[in-house]
Amino acid sequence: MSYVVLARKYRSRNFSEMVGQEHVVQALTNALTQQRLHHAYLFTGTRGVGKTTVSRILAKALNCQGPDGHGGITATPCGVCQACRDIDAGRFVDYTELDAASNRGVDEVQSLLEQAVYKPVAGRFKVFMIDEVHMLTNTAFNAMLKTLEEPPEYLKFVLATTDPQKVPVTVLSRCLQFNLRPMAPDTVQQHLAHVLASEGVEAEPQALRLLSAAARGSMRDALSLTDQAIAFGSGRLQEAAVRQMLGSVDRSYVFRLVEALAQGDGRTVVETAEALRVNGLSAASTLEDMAALLQRMAVLQAVPQLAASADPNDAEAAGTARLAALLPADETQLLYSIALHGRGELGLAPDEYAALTMVLLRLLAFKPGAAASGDAAPAEKKTLTRPEPAPVEAPPPRVAAATPLPAPTAAPAPVAAPARRPASPPPAPAAPPAPAADAGEPPPWDAVPDDDASAADEPPPWPDDDPGLPPVRDAVAVSPRPVPPAVAQRAGTALPVLERPLPAGQEQRPAAAPVIAVPVRVQPEPGVRTKPVYEPGGAPRPPVEFTQTAEGDFWHATVQQLVASEAIAALVRELALQSQLIGRQGSHWTLRVDRETLAQPTTQERLRKALAAAGLAERLTVEIGPVTDCPARRNAAAAQARQRRAEEIVLGDPGVQALIRDWDARIIPGSIKPL
């Protein structure tokens, strides 16, 4: 007699023998007991969890005749009647299994459905079992839809798949779906112990733990690995042999690595990694076992009471508890994350052991106060200091011009002027620079006179601003261009952009990045023609015009107050901004808009309620007509005036003119913005 593998020999014959799928067993048992039978069942789950097994048990439960031949539908098939024996042997004429992976066309499905018109020959029901049903073509699915929805009363469909997402929803809606879950390692280990006890094979508990973990939730894989381990160990299951067969890493290496990381012992980490290379142990398994160990350590650190309930005979549990007390909780979380991400880097490196070493060193490097080796002192952290700006460094792309600055306490060393402009001899450090001899020729950069000593106590002069307009920053963004070395030498020291002094109590904005401060004249030179400095990039916009009226002044102030208090918003705010106040007769106000889309009844009512809540108007009438004075036009005119004033201030600044004249700079269109 030929040998029968464990996966087939110990296949479950009834619901009571199934393990790990109690939720499916309970539902089917109750349905069979109460005779509440569905015409189509769909079993989903990964490989080796019992989809085909539960299908055969269901077929036996539907066709069982009992030991005396007079049985009926039951949740506990006898297993001795002719129907039960034939189904177990795979030769029952009314039970048909179709492998959709190799019979996925419409012809095979139609051939199966042609048998549906015939009643059962030997059993009570005909059962069509289609395995891997997601492999069927769309045409095959469409061919079976009608029969699947309304089959004959003697026909039952059982579908099984590992990928339910590929099954059409039209099929899913016609089936009663059961999801078979992957089995827990403890469940697999207990079943393996029962099987090996029946076979009379000696097995160490740690060897069974390795096999159950390697099965990854599949009972069939666990039994197949057990067959292989029995052959590898000559009829005995020992931990060392099973670990060697699976290529798993000895847990002693993993515990040694984690302990070395906890102690910051880099030498032990590197030596252990080299031992893994010499013994040919898997680098991926090492990181996987480390992640599993760190996960158990994190659980013990979060719930220390679990350590007392651990098995005292389990050496791994004691070692895990010891490491959990040795390593801080935050470092455990960090090492766990690095170990998980390090598994993805093994395939990117030319040598997986080199990648493993780098991951372990990364684990060590991120440990606070750890060193690269066990006998090296912790590396001192360095703080990056910003070097002093040198006068000859290339200037940044943004250049700012300011009004004359107070004389610095320590002036930079004088440098020679460029060849295109005659330079006077460099003055002595204590003597003030001599003024230019010729008023028509601009003096050299290093000979520009400073202001009076009293100017150091006063803020720089500013252009006369309009009292109704906000201040304008006197910084101009220019296009980045290469600066000649001579100009860079004349630029002087790096200073921040000057800001206009703010009123008392107002927060000072952070200073901009350091720029090169260039000494410029306060008054433009007579007879010097400056280059065009502003490129707006298009035709100027026409000025916004409006007819100023007393009612317009009142309505503008009212709308601004409503907007500031957030009493109106969205379309209501737009109606108020675009309308003109025509007249007021007590609490009855009349507005005019030029667009009918703004004068919607709901928008008018919301504006009226806002005015009434402010105690202004109880009635509101909105008419359609030309508008000559509205808050929107006033705001646009004010914004246009502020923009024009800002451009005038910047373009008229002598420092800006000097930058344009001497550095060939251009103002970026749109960079001048009023504050």
Side-chain angles (χ1 to χ4, degrees):
M1 182 178 180
S2 61
Y3 175 73
V4 180
V5 298
L6 297 179
R8 293 181 56 190
K9 182 177 181 180
Y10 289 93
R11 181 192 293 268
S12 302
R13 308 297 181 184
N14 49 58
F15 289 127
S16 62
E17 296 179 1
M18 289 196 65
V19 293
Q21 308 297 342
E22 289 78 8
H23 62 293
V24 177
V25 171
Q26 181 178 352
L28 293 178
T29 300
N30 294 337
L32 292 169
T33 303
Q34 301 172 10
Q35 305 291 311
R36 300 178 63 89
L37 303 178
H38 203 271
H39 61 271
Y41 297 87
L42 176 63
F43 298 110
T44 65
T46 186
R47 76 280 180 274
V49 294
K51 299 185 296 295
T52 305
T53 298
V54 73
S55 172
R56 294 182 180 180
I57 297 176
L58 180 61
K60 290 194 294 183
L62 293 174
N63 292 285
C64 181
Q65 300 173 358
D68 55 357
H70 296 86
I73 300 175
T74 177
T76 56
C78 65
V80 297
C81 66
Q82 189 65 33
C84 292
R85 294 199 307 269
D86 290 346
I87 292 176
D88 288 335
R91 56 175 181 265
F92 190 62
V93 66
D94 292 323
Y95 177 73
T96 305
E97 288 188 3
L98 178 67
D99 181 17
S102 56
N103 301 278
R104 57 192 306 265
V106 63
D107 295 335
E108 289 82 358
V109 173
Q110 286 181 346
S111 176
L112 177 67
L113 296 178
E114 288 176 357
Q115 306 176 21
V117 299
Y118 303 105
K119 289 187 176 182
V121 176
R124 192 177 296 110
F125 291 94
K126 294 179 73 73
V127 180
F128 290 167
M129 194 276 179
I130 305 179
D131 197 10
E132 300 297 339
V133 68
H134 68 275
M135 299 293 290
L136 292 179
T137 62
N138 292 333
T139 309
F141 275 122
N142 294 333
M144 65 180 296
L145 282 180
K146 190 60 179 177
T147 307
L148 183 63
E149 182 179 7
E150 298 179 357
E153 60 180 6
Y154 52 80
L155 179 61
K156 303 295 181 183
F157 281 93
V158 179
L159 311 180
T161 178
T162 57
D163 195 356
Q165 282 79 15
K166 294 183 180 179
V167 179
V169 293
T170 52
V171 174
L172 295 176
S173 63
R174 290 166 167 82
C175 299
L176 200 64
Q177 184 173 348
F178 295 93
N179 183 25
L180 280 72
R181 296 189 290 257
M183 302 180 192
D186 292 341
T187 302
V188 176
Q189 182 178 351
Q190 293 175 5
H191 187 66
L192 291 181
H194 172 71
V195 169
L196 293 176
S198 302
E199 290 289 316
V201 177
E202 296 181 4
E204 296 180 358
Q206 188 60 32
L208 297 182
R209 186 178 292 112
L210 291 174
L211 292 173
S212 60
R216 299 188 180 276
S218 173
M219 187 63 73
R220 183 174 60 222
D221 290 359
L223 292 172
S224 300
L225 289 174
T226 303
D227 260 329
Q228 182 180 356
I230 292 174
F232 187 85
S234 300
R236 298 181 61 185
L237 293 184
Q238 296 179 345
E239 178 186 359
V242 172
R243 192 180 296 277
Q244 183 180 0
M245 181 195 75
L246 296 176
S248 303
V249 179
D250 189 353
R251 288 300 179 93
S252 60
Y253 290 105
V254 178
F255 279 86
R256 191 187 312 167
L257 285 173
V258 175
E259 184 174 2
L261 292 173
Q263 297 176 352
D265 188 356
R267 182 185 300 276
T268 302
V269 170
V270 175
E271 291 177 353
T272 306
E274 186 63 24
L276 293 173
R277 179 199 299 270
V278 172
N279 296 328
L281 299 177
S282 173
S285 298
T286 303
L287 292 178
E288 182 178 352
D289 291 344
M290 285 187 62
L293 175 59
L294 291 169
Q295 183 268 337
R296 294 194 299 272
M297 291 169 53
V299 172
L300 291 179
Q301 290 170 349
V303 188
Q305 296 81 4
L306 294 179
S309 60
D311 186 4
N313 298 325
D314 190 355
E316 289 191 4
T320 303
R322 181 177 59 84
L323 292 178
L326 183 63
L327 192 66
D330 55 346
E331 294 185 21
T332 303
Q333 297 290 339
L334 178 62
L335 297 185
Y336 177 78
S337 179
I338 296 178
L340 283 185
H341 290 83
R343 293 182 59 191
E345 302 178 5
L346 297 181
L348 303 177
D351 182 7
E352 68 171 1
Y353 294 102
L356 173 63
T357 304
M358 291 302 299
V359 172
L360 296 176
L361 293 179
R362 187 181 310 146
L363 294 172
L364 188 63
F366 279 92
K367 179 178 176 59
S373 61
D375 49 0
E380 180 183 0
K381 293 186 177 180
K382 303 296 183 180
T383 302
L384 181 63
T385 57
R386 187 182 299 276
E388 293 294 334
V392 297
E393 294 293 334
R398 292 178 60 96
V399 181
T403 53
L405 305 176
T409 56
V415 296
R420 64 181 180 89
R421 184 175 298 179
S424 59
D438 188 4
E441 177 68 15
W445 287 81
D446 54 3
V448 177
D450 295 332
D451 292 340
D452 298 337
S454 60
D457 301 330
E458 299 178 359
W462 291 82
D464 295 332
D465 289 343
D466 190 348
L469 299 178
V472 181
R473 187 193 304 269
D474 63 335
V476 184
V478 299
S479 303
R481 298 191 179 188
V483 181
V487 178
Q489 292 178 358
R490 294 182 311 184
T493 58
L495 297 174
V497 178
L498 292 182
E499 304 285 346
R500 164 167 261 184
L502 298 178
Q506 185 172 353
E507 182 181 359
Q508 180 71 29
R509 297 186 177 182
V515 298
I516 296 178
V518 183
V520 297
R521 298 177 182 84
V522 178
Q523 298 295 336
E525 301 178 26
V528 177
R529 179 176 299 176
T530 60
K531 302 176 183 179
V533 297
Y534 190 56
E535 302 172 359
R541 295 183 179 180
V544 180
E545 299 179 354
F546 63 92
T547 304
Q548 187 171 3
T549 61
E551 294 291 344
D553 295 340
F554 173 77
W555 180 239
H556 180 261
T558 302
V559 173
Q560 293 296 100
Q561 182 179 1
L562 293 176
V563 172
S565 62
E566 298 183 355
I568 57 177
L571 293 178
V572 182
R573 178 181 58 202
E574 193 66 20
L575 171 60
L577 290 173
Q578 299 291 343
S579 61
Q580 178 180 356
L581 180 61
I582 302 300
R584 292 178 290 169
Q585 297 179 358
S587 61
H588 183 197
W589 291 10
T590 302
L591 301 178
R592 178 185 297 169
V593 294
D594 56 0
R595 286 180 289 177
E596 186 176 359
T597 55
L598 293 174
Q600 299 296 327
T602 56
T603 309
Q604 297 182 32
E605 179 62 21
R606 292 179 181 176
L607 180 58
R608 185 198 66 79
K609 290 181 179 179
L611 293 173
L616 298 175
E618 297 293 338
R619 297 177 56 194
L620 186 65
T621 301
V622 180
E623 61 182 30
I624 309 301
V627 175
T628 59
D629 184 13
C630 64
R633 292 191 180 186
R634 288 177 177 245
N635 294 340
Q640 195 175 60
R642 289 194 299 270
Q643 179 66 29
R644 184 170 58 254
R645 180 59 177 163
E647 294 175 359
E648 291 175 357
I649 293 175
V650 173
L651 298 180
D653 187 271
V656 175
Q657 296 292 337
L659 289 175
I660 302 301
R661 181 182 62 250
D662 298 314
W663 284 20
D664 196 22
R666 290 294 182 271
I667 299 177
I668 298 177
S671 62
I672 301 177
K673 297 294 182 181
L675 297 179

